[in-house]
Amino acid sequence: RTFAALLEAALNADDSTAADYWYQGVVATPGQPAVVSFNLLLDVAARKGRVKLLRQWFSKMQELVIEPNPETFRTLIMGTVKSAEGDLETAESWYQQALEAGFRLSAGDFEEMIDAALVRNDVE
């Protein structure tokens, strides 16, 4: 949690060098980083609307063969739909990946995507 707080402070200050430093601290901790560590990182990026970081850190999880859990996908979806970019196609892709992994997300998760689509008038 300390790394996540420091990472969030760096992102608040738009200090990408410090953010990368604290990110490296999480992934370099002794032993294999756990899904919980990455979920903390993803949560910080999601709350800051940093979709690029969401993608980057999820890719790193895959590279390290860390299995995502429902919270991982929930965070990816929410961070994506609530970002300034509001990339609904990416959010739908995360949702589909969660389903393919055998996870059942809540109706509220799907509702978030619908609400974002309505706000953006993207209801195809």
Side-chain angles (χ1 to χ4, degrees), residues 29-46:
T29 52
Q32 184 79 354
V35 67
V36 173
S37 299
F38 271 93
N39 284 350
L40 284 171
L41 291 171
L42 292 170
D43 182 63
V44 170

Side-chain angles (χ1 to χ4, degrees), residues 7-9 11-12 42-51 53 83:
L7 175 65
E8 186 168 11
L11 290 174
N12 281 338
L42 292 170
D43 182 63
V44 170
R47 286 187 284 116
K48 295 298 162 196
R50 304 289 179 95
V51 176
L53 283 177
S83 71

Side-chain angles (χ1 to χ4, degrees), residues 1-108:
R1 284 235 180 266
T2 302
F3 281 118
L6 293 168
L7 175 65
E8 186 168 11
L11 290 174
N12 281 338
D14 284 326
D15 185 345
S16 59
T17 302
D20 187 57
Y21 175 81
W22 295 116
Y23 161 76
Q24 295 301 328
V26 171
V27 297
T29 52
Q32 184 79 354
V35 67
V36 173
S37 299
F38 271 93
N39 284 350
L40 284 171
L41 291 171
L42 292 170
D43 182 63
V44 170
R47 286 187 284 116
K48 295 298 162 196
R50 304 289 179 95
V51 176
K52 182 178 176 183
L53 283 177
L54 287 171
R55 289 185 185 120
Q56 175 186 330
W57 292 341
F58 186 70
S59 292
K60 186 65 173 177
M61 279 181 74
Q62 292 175 314
E63 180 185 314
L64 293 172
V65 193
I66 297 172
E67 293 294 324
N69 62 20
E71 187 59 31
T72 306
F73 287 109
R74 192 171 292 113
T75 302
L76 291 167
I77 292 165
M78 294 313 111
T80 302
V81 298
K82 291 183 176 183
S83 71
E85 295 120 44
D87 184 352
L88 296 177
E89 287 181 19
T90 298
E92 289 172 20
S93 173
W94 297 129
Y95 185 77
Q96 191 61 40
Q97 286 181 54
L99 294 178
E100 289 168 6
F103 300 126
R104 296 183 61 83
L105 302 179
S106 72

